[in-house]
């Protein structure tokens, strides 16, 4: 619960309701997770093919 409350502080001062703050946090965490997964997949593909994105 402390972690959740800490994360919600990122939205302090924006005038959002509690529900909107929760939705914004959920959206942000999902975005970050998807970006991290895409990065991991790209690295795994580069290792498997021995090529980088630049090549």
């Amino acid at each position: 619960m402390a972690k959740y409350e800490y994360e919600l502080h990122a939205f302090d001062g924006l005038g959002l309701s509690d529900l909107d703050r929760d939705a914004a946090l959920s959206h942000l965490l999902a975005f970050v997770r998807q970006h991290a997964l895409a990065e991991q997949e790209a690295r795994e593909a580069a290792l498997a093919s021995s090529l980088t994105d630049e090549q």
Side-chain angles (χ1 to χ4, degrees):
M1 190 62 140
K3 178 183 175 286
Y4 172 73
E5 291 294 330
Y6 178 78
E7 292 168 341
L8 281 176
H9 284 296
F11 302 99
D12 285 351
L14 298 178
L16 299 174
S17 70
D18 288 345
L19 289 175
D20 289 338
R21 285 176 49 179
D22 183 64
L25 177 58
S26 295
H27 180 75
L28 177 62
L29 293 175
F31 175 82
V32 170
R33 183 176 187 277
Q34 289 297 60
H35 182 74
L37 288 173
E39 181 67 24
Q40 179 183 1
E41 289 173 2
R43 288 182 184 188
E44 289 172 358
L47 287 173
S49 71
S50 301
L51 298 174
T52 64
D53 285 342
E54 291 81 23
Q55 294 170 325

